């Protein structure tokens, strides 16, 4: 496939990797223990008879995949596609190259090259990291980039206009690193960003995906087998048909949920319950996931609207509607924190009665949550329900003895009753 | 290629230490007394002389009111701050309110800002380094507790400036310790640094790899340290004594200072022994001619019981930090102990059991911070081609943000963000035709604005008249590698930009700064000539002694002749004049008479040599 010989990679255990927590085979365990604290090549390991020549490549490959070791020694950041002339086809401005600054020509070119590509390069390319890199590998790449582009590498040097470029580059690298280090942010980024891939990376990604598919298929096959056996047992049961249908719907719901189609999942789940009451627990859980996701989106919208007062006037109606919807979900889900949050939103919308109801429910869910009592007290206060105010602020004070607002409300409650 | 002289200074609550990197090796510079650390103590003697370090410590008991220790606990703090009010109760020197609401210290009728006092300590460390190098040193990296806020950082920078230092960077103490720990050792680990010193506690977690030191998270308490342990012992002694003799020792500053010294000594002894005697004879006189003595036995067990909660607090802070940063204890590969208090067995034991590992014994708890500062100083000022030997990626310890409607705190840059960093936020007007907005900048960890540290507030004026909500103002917050905050604002429509200096309310004003620097310059000059005077005086004294010793011999030889008599008389006069100048402390007269004295000595020696009686 490739004409150049396999480059000599070195391997090491990344900082913060707890190898005891990884699912390693005994053979892999031995190899890792010999890599720990050093940087070695496959050759070294073979020479030290840690692993036979024939096994070295595949064991190391598997260790890299499991995140136990890092492969180091690959190309420079941003430049792994670079050939002999990394700047082929680029014309640098003489103004930039001759500006008085304590920088070599190569440094200038590197900085200009990175700066002009900041918008177009993916996080991976910017750090010189592979699309399949583990978090530990991303860290190595980021450290390497930082050493070259961190402002401290040019401490108190005269950089002229390059100072600003450098700041920009380092900031972008930091963002790239933060994104790729956080599994959630990275997953989202991978989904939305345009990422250039080398053929090798594509192949590797494809292989990883295939592995996963295979594993999933195997699992599903096992499940199906188990179901089939159950079917046979159910053969003479008059309810069998309905139960089977319910189960099918439930499976569809689970599949949809796995695929991220939450509303669809909820729909299937509701249908499933129609056929078989006994799976209500499982089905409700799926419905709830969908409703919560929806509530979270709506909540975000509410916060947005509240944050910008000009939108608020126009969108009061929408706000009320959305808030009602969230309130309903929160009530159904018996979700204490969400109830509190909605309650406080309703207060902002000047609807203390509803707010009080939700706050009461939040307090019922968890009577030790001061936020619930706070919400109830505020709502009762706004609605002049003094007895409730007294009770709620009293509870609140018990939970948070020093709270000034609680004291204040408690006083009001006492005075009024 | 000669290395540039740059130093690292650990400005501690109790002790300060200075280090440098020579030929690639970091080393501590010992002071004149060949001590590697210098007490962070400053005093004004009765003569008005400034005393710093060991001399200041030695006279602390007899001059308690004018001896300042633990000034770091007050730096960058407002007078009204609860910890300052608490300090007023326990420290023998007088703490007063400065013109900008900051805490200041009054010594012999003169009020000093805390940075001024810290500058005296920094100046001393500078001098120690200069004596070692035999030439001036200007550039320094100074360390501070990681949990210091912006005001405390700025005040420390001010102190450096007053001391005549170019503080090229302020770095966090635990980070500095990690730098020294990992410097050139090809370390590749995730480590925790547990730093319990005289005044503050810090905990930081770092990834060290390929010469890069990445701080993942940091937390601490800037008012938790050895001083608090000492205070517990002092209270125990005071109450015990009050019970027995019905006298409150705290009313006597000298007694209090003796108690404090004895408490610290006992605490240190109990790190190696199981019991210790505290013996303070004549601690107080009752006025009825009989004196009271204090004598008690303190056991390690009792000490641990009295201070258990302080140690517990350190562990709680560690636990909270790890949880918030989502770091599991098992991921840590080493725990580094820093600070004198980590010698206490109970502290070591708590660390061992909490982190479930044996802490590293590879660093010197008193020196490692200064060494790390020196390492960072050398790395920053490294000349020549190539990438730096080491790179530090540190974080900001507190949330930074602004106050929003309802008195809440809105975070713009969260704690544990890598510095340098910046964040922008769009603000708008709330009234029609509003031409100015007020922005309150805060730093801290509470959701309630008022519970955080106020960094400053500013008015952005000159906005175009427009309906409310339609003006867009970009406000950018910037945190420098020192952890110091700057704010700038831009009106989007006009593009008009305004940089705003966050003037912390407890900072020295620009004018005050200038004054102090000038005063200090004057002082430096005064001190120099004073030193020169000392030298003149010893020279003169030596010459006078020599002349007087040789006088009988010379008189015997030349006294008979007229010429000789004249010469003797003149010599007598010269000696008289020198003695008078010494008595009057008149440097100029001494300088004027020096030549004559020297000539007389030479002449007398010559005569004596002739008769073989030199
Ligand atoms: N052997 C010992 N046992 C117990 N405590 C000790 C011992 N040696 C020193 N200490 C205490 O350690 C403290 C000083 O530690 P250190 O010099 O590290 O602090 P510092 O750097 O001056 O303060 P900080 O870092 O908090 O500003 C003092 O309170 C001292 O009493
Ligand atoms: Mg210290």
């Amino acid at each position: 496939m490739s004409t150049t010989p396999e480059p000599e990679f070195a391997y090491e255990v990344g900082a913060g990797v707890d190898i005891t927590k990884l699912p390693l085979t005994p053979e892999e365990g031995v190899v890792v223990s010999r890599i720990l604290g050093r940087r070695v090549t496959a050759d070294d390991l073979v020479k030290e008879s840690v692993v036979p020549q024939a096994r070295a490549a595949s064991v190391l490959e598997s260790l890299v995949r499991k995140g136990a070791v890092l492969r180091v020694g690959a190309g420079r950041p941003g430049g792994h596609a670079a050939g002999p002339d990394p700047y082929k086809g680029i014309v640098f401005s003489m103004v930039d190259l001759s500006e008085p600054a304590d920088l070599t020509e190569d440094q200038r070119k590197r900085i200009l090259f990175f700066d002009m590509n900041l918008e177009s390069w993916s996080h991976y390319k910017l750090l010189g990291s592979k699309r399949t890199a583990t978090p530990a590998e991303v860290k190595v790449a980021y450290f390497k980039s930082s050493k070259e582009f961190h402002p401290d590498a040019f401490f108190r040097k005269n950089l002229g206009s390059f100072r600003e470029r450098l700041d920009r580059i380092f900031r972008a690298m930091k963002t790239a690193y933060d994104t790729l280090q956080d599994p959630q942010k990275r997953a989202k980024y991978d989904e939305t960003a345009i990422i250039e891939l080398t053929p090798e990376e594509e192949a590797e990604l494809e292989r990883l995906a295939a592995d996963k598919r295979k594993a999933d298929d195997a699992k599903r096959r096992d499940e199906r087998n188990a179901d089939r056996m159950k079917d046979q047992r159910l053969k003479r049961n008059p309810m069998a048909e309905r139960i089977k249908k319910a189960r099918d719907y439930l499976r569809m719901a689970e599949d949809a949920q796995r695929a991220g189609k939450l509303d669809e999942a909820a729909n299937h789940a509701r249908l499933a319950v129609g056929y078989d009451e006994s799976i209500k627990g499982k089905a409700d859980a799926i419905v709830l996931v969908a409703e919560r996701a929806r509530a979270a989106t709506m909540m975000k919208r509410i916060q947005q609207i509240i944050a910008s007062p000009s939108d608020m006037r126009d969108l009061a109606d929408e706000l009320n509607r959305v808030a009602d919807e969230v309130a309903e979900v929160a009530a159904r889900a018996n979700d204490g924190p969400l109830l509190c949050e909605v309650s406080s939103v309703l207060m902002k919308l000047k609807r203390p009665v509803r707010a009080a109801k939700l706050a009461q429910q939040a307090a019922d869910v968890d009577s030790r949550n001061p936020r619930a009592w706070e919400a109830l007290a505020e709502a009762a206060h706004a609605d002049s329900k003094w007895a409730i105010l007294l009770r709620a602020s009293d509870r609140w004070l018990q939970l948070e003895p020093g709270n000034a607002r609680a004291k204040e409300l408690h006083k009001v409650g006492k005075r009024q009753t | 290629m000669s290395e540039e002289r740059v130093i690292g200074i650990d400005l501690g609550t109790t002790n300060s230490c200075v280090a440098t990197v020579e030929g690639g090796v970091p080393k501590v510079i010992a002071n004149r007394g060949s001590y590697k650390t210098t007490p962070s103590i400053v005093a004004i003697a009765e003569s008005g002389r400034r005393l710093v370090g060991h001399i200041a410590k030695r006279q602390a008991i007899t001059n308690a009111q004018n001896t300042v220790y633990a000034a770091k606990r007050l730096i960058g703090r407002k007078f009204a701050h609860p910890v300052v009010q608490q300090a007023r109760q326990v420290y023998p020197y007088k703490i007063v309110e400065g013109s900008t609401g900051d805490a200041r210290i009054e010594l012999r009728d003169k009020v000093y800002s805390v940075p001024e006092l810290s500058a005296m300590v920094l100046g001393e460390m500078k001098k120690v380094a200069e004596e070692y190098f035999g030439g001036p040193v200007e550039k320094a990296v100074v360390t501070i507790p990681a949990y210091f806020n912006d005001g405390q950082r700025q005040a420390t920078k001010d102190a450096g400036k007053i001391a005549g230092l170019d503080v090229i960077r302020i770095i966090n103490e635990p980070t500095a310790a990690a730098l020294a720990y990992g410097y050139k050792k090809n370390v590749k680990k995730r480590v925790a640094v547990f730093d319990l010193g005289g005044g503050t506690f810090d905990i930081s977690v770092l990834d060290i790899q390929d010469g890069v030191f990445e701080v993942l998270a940091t937390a601490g308490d800037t008012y938790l340290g050895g001083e608090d342990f000492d205070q517990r012992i002092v209270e125990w002694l005071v109450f015990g004594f009050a019970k027995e003799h019905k006298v409150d020792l705290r009313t006597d500053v000298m007694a209090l200072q003796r108690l404090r010294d004895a408490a610290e000594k006992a605490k240190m002894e109990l790190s190696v022994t199981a019991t210790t005697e505290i013996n303070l004879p004549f601690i107080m006189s009752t006025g009825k001619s009989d004196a009271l003595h204090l004598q008690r036995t303190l056991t390690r067990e009792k000490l641990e019981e009295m201070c258990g909660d302080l140690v517990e607090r350190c562990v709680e802070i560690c636990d909270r930090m790890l949880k918030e940063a989502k770091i599991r204890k098992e991921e840590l590969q080493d725990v580094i102990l820093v600070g004198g208090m980590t010698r206490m067995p109970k502290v070591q034991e708590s660390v061992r059991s909490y982190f479930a590992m044996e802490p590293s014994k590879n660093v010197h708890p008193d020196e490692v911070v200064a060494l790390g500062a020196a390492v960072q100083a050398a790395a920053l000022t490294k000349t020549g081609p190539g990438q730096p030997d080491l790179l530090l990626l540190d974080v900001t310890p507190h949330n930074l943000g602004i106050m929003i409607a309802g008195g809440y705190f809105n975070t713009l840059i969260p704690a544990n963000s890598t510095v340098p960093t910046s964040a922008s936020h769009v603000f708008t007007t709330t009234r029609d035709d509003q031409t100015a907005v007020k922005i309150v900048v805060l730093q801290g960890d509470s959701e309630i604005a008022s519970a955080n540290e106020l960094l400053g507030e500013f008015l952005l004026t000159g906005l175009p008249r427009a309906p409310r909500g339609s003006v867009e103002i970009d406000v950018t917050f910037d945190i420098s590698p020192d952890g110091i905050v700057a704010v700038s604002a831009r009106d989007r429509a006009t593009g008009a930009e305004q940089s705003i200096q966050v003037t912390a309310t407890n900072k020295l004003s620009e004018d005050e700064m200038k004054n102090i620097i000038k005063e200090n310059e004057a002082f430096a000059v005064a001190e120099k000539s004073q030193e020169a005077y000392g030298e003149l005086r010893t020279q003169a004294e030596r010459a006078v002694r020599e002349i007087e010793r040789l006088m009988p011999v010379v008189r015997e030889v030349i006294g008979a002749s007229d010429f000789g008599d004249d010469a003797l008389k003149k010599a007598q006069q010269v000696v008289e004049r020198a003695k008078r100048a010494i008595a009057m402390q008149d440097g100029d007269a001494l300088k004027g008479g020096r030549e004559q004295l020297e000539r007389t000595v030479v002449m007398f020696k010559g005569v004596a040599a002739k008769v073989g009686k030199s």
Side-chain angles (χ1 to χ4, degrees), chain B residues 541-557:
Chain B
E541 280 173 336
R542 203 180 307 125
V544 167
R545 245 181 286 126
E546 190 76 354
I547 293 167
E548 286 181 339
R549 183 173 70 85
L550 295 169
M551 188 66 90
V553 183
V554 174
R555 179 168 289 129
E556 229 179 82
V557 179

Side-chain angles (χ1 to χ4, degrees), chain B residues 299-314:
Chain B
T299 63
R300 185 187 285 179
E301 207 181 342
K302 178 75 190 162
L303 173 70
E304 289 176 355
E305 178 202 315
M306 288 192 289
C307 302
D309 63 313
L310 297 174
V311 180
E312 200 44 46
R313 241 163 82 198
C314 297

Side-chain angles (χ1 to χ4, degrees), chain B residues 153-166:
Chain B
R153 282 163 199 268
Q154 299 234 27
T156 306
K157 261 207 144 168
D158 287 351
K161 220 188 280 178
I162 296 168
L165 285 168
D166 173 7

Side-chain angles (χ1 to χ4, degrees), chain A residues 12-13 139 152 156 174 177, chain B residues 166 169 188 207 214 420:
Chain A
E12 59 184 40
V13 179
K139 183 173 286 243
D152 276 359
R156 288 200 180 170
K174 209 159 53 177
Y177 172 65
Chain B
D166 173 7
R169 178 66 50 85
K188 201 161 147 350
D207 270 349
E214 181 196 26

Side-chain angles (χ1 to χ4, degrees), chain A residues 327 330-331 334-344 355 358-359 361-363 365 375:
Chain A
N334 236 346
D335 180 334
L338 189 60
L339 282 164
C340 293
E341 206 179 345
V342 186
S343 170
S344 80
L358 293 168
Q361 190 183 344
V365 174

Side-chain angles (χ1 to χ4, degrees), chain B residues 144-148 153 172-175 192-196 200-206 215-224 313-325 327 355 394-399 415-416 445:
Chain B
I144 44 149
Y147 221 53
F148 259 20
R153 282 163 199 268
N172 299 326
E173 285 158 12
T175 313
V193 180
F194 184 103
D195 179 357
L196 186 60
T200 55
F201 171 66
D202 279 326
I203 174 81
S204 295
V205 174
L206 297 95
V215 181
L216 301 175
T218 196
D221 185 335
T222 54
Y223 214 82
L224 173 57
R313 241 163 82 198
C314 297
V315 175
E316 273 163 23
I317 292 170
C318 294
D319 198 47
R320 201 163 357 106
M321 179 208 63
L322 288 180
K323 287 223 172 80
E324 271 166 27
I327 296 168
F355 289 102
D394 214 332
V395 299
T396 173
H398 302 285
N399 297 319
N416 292 329
D445 307 303

Side-chain angles (χ1 to χ4, degrees), chain B residues 78 149-155 158 400-402 412-413 439-443 453-459 475-480 483-489 498-510:
Chain B
K78 273 171 240 151
N149 63 29
D150 183 70
Q152 292 166 307
R153 282 163 199 268
Q154 299 234 27
D158 287 351
L400 175 70
I402 56 153
L412 288 168
I413 298 180
I439 291 161
V440 180
V441 186
L442 301 158
Q443 192 169 41
E453 206 71 35
L454 173 70
L455 296 190
E457 24 183 40
F458 61 80
L459 224 43
V475 177
T476 303
F477 291 75
D478 224 41
I479 304 184
S480 77
I484 288 176
V485 178
V487 183
S488 65
Q498 240 173 297
S499 275
I500 308 123
Q501 193 67 43
V502 180
T503 38
T505 36
N506 53 359
K507 234 194 99 191
L508 296 175
S509 74
E510 191 79 14

